[in-house]
Amino acid sequence: MQAANPRRGYILGLSAYIIWGLFPLYFKAIASVPAVEIIIHRVLWSALFGALLLMVWKHPGWWRELRENPRRLAILALSGALIAANWLTYVWSVNNGRMLEASLGYYINPLVNVLLGMLILGERLRRMQWIAVGLAAVGVAQQVWQVGSLPWVSLVLALTFGFYGLIRKQAPVKALPGLVVETWMLVPIAIAWLLFNPTAHSAQAEFWTTSEAWWLVAAGPVTLVPLVCFNAAARHLPYTTLGFLQYLAPTLVLLQAVLLFGEHLSSSTLVAFMFIWAGLAVYSVDAWLSLRRRS
């Protein structure tokens, strides 16, 4: 089926991935606030702004479907915990000089998805997919050999987001209602954290007179705007095209890490990236050939 408006789809898709790729600039602006506290406010403000957006951007029948399928609510509770863990790891990595590892994690993510499909959903890998996964595995193994430890930030980001997508497949809820439900389920935990941490930055009255307070409030729109763009783009572009665009975000993170924030890209890390990039190239060619065969 032809995309309804490819030009609009590309603009929306590029907007989503550019915003996601520039997230480090946002988190650096509130680097003085601990990562856990940033996530607490990301949950609270995403829940609030998401609920307001749902009043404008109608999704008829979404709540009735959830109410009639309580299993989906349980699945969304689990996926909410996974996305919160992903957010926390990402914010921590940005504000602790580990952006290269973060970008590596999101390069690995598509290949983790392929592997999870095989191990959990019983999907069979094509020969080129095996080669892609193997190249990525060599890249990770090379990092372990050089550094002497697993690149845990990369693996946590790739695995939490991979399992998040896998679990969301089990609860077919549209992206915005799903995110709103996930965040509202985390709201009691967020409020409890604030109550039990009276010395937190945002628990002080004077904090709300600073510019950082507004940056925290912006966590809601910053989370929701690229999601809205992505979902709108998905209606105008083939999903494989969106898959290619997704590499824009970790590339922007990589460039910021090296060019703006002075993280050192060692030769051993570059070798690991090259293996993973090679794996992604093989994976992308396989996806393109598969699409052509189906067409």
Side-chain angles (χ1 to χ4, degrees):
M1 192 173 91
Q2 285 271 322
N5 190 334
R7 186 183 177 195
R8 185 181 180 193
Y10 275 112
I11 291 170
L12 288 165
L14 286 169
S15 299
Y17 284 116
I18 288 171
I19 293 170
W20 279 325
L22 296 178
F23 264 14
L25 297 177
Y26 168 74
F27 293 124
K28 289 286 187 183
I30 46 176
S32 63
V33 180
V36 173
E37 193 169 352
I38 292 173
I39 298 309
I40 292 299
H41 281 275
R42 192 173 184 182
V43 165
L44 293 172
W45 295 110
S46 294
L48 176 61
F49 281 96
L52 293 173
L53 186 57
L54 264 181
M55 294 179 187
V56 178
W57 190 17
K58 302 292 185 182
H59 289 73
W62 69 270
W63 177 243
R64 187 184 67 254
E65 286 181 22
L66 278 178
R67 202 173 58 241
E68 292 172 355
N69 296 274
R71 180 175 172 273
R72 292 185 186 179
L73 284 171
I75 290 170
L76 287 174
L78 179 56
S79 63
L82 281 169
I83 200 63
N86 183 273
W87 287 352
L88 179 60
T89 306
Y90 185 76
V91 174
W92 182 89
S93 66
V94 168
N95 289 343
N96 284 273
R98 309 283 283 273
M99 285 171 60
L100 284 173
E101 287 185 58
S103 67
L104 182 64
Y106 286 112
Y107 279 125
I108 294 172
N109 178 245
L111 303 175
V112 166
N113 291 344
V114 171
L115 207 54
L116 289 176
M118 180 192 72
L119 296 174
I120 296 175
L121 300 180
E123 296 175 356
R124 296 182 65 181
L125 298 194
R126 295 184 291 271
R127 183 180 300 173
M128 290 181 72
Q129 289 178 321
W130 274 115
I131 294 171
V133 171
L135 286 166
V138 170
V140 173
Q142 191 272 346
Q143 277 285 280
V144 174
W145 180 63
Q146 284 287 338
V147 180
S149 61
L150 282 171
W152 69 267
V153 169
S154 307
L155 294 176
V156 168
L157 288 172
L159 289 169
T160 51
F161 205 69
F163 276 103
Y164 172 76
L166 184 72
I167 288 170
R168 280 297 299 269
K169 281 174 73 73
Q170 312 305 312
V173 182
K174 289 185 179 178
L176 180 59
L179 181 67
V180 170
V181 172
E182 286 168 347
T183 50
W184 274 100
M185 285 181 165
L186 292 168
V187 164
I189 298 172
I191 293 172
W193 188 93
L194 288 173
L195 291 174
F196 284 100
N197 289 274
T199 58
H201 287 66
S202 55
Q204 314 307 312
E206 59 271 18
F207 175 82
W208 294 98
T209 63
T210 67
S211 60
E212 287 176 327
W214 291 106
W215 281 113
L216 276 186
V217 173
V222 162
T223 299
L224 294 168
V225 167
L227 178 73
V228 172
C229 290
F230 174 82
N231 279 281
R235 291 198 295 270
H236 296 283
L237 290 175
Y239 202 70
T240 47
T241 304
L242 281 177
F244 285 112
L245 290 179
Q246 81 175 46
Y247 303 131
L248 180 62
T251 301
L252 286 172
V253 174
L254 171 66
L255 292 173
Q256 290 168 84
V258 176
L259 301 177
L260 287 182
F261 302 114
E263 289 193 27
H264 176 56
L265 182 59
S266 66
S267 57
S268 64
T269 303
L270 183 59
V271 169
F273 269 95
M274 289 174 71
F275 271 107
I276 288 159
W277 287 333
L280 287 174
V282 172
Y283 167 80
S284 300
V285 169
D286 176 75
W288 179 70
L289 290 173
S290 176
L291 181 66
R292 280 193 65 183
R293 283 194 295 270
R294 285 201 300 269
S295 298

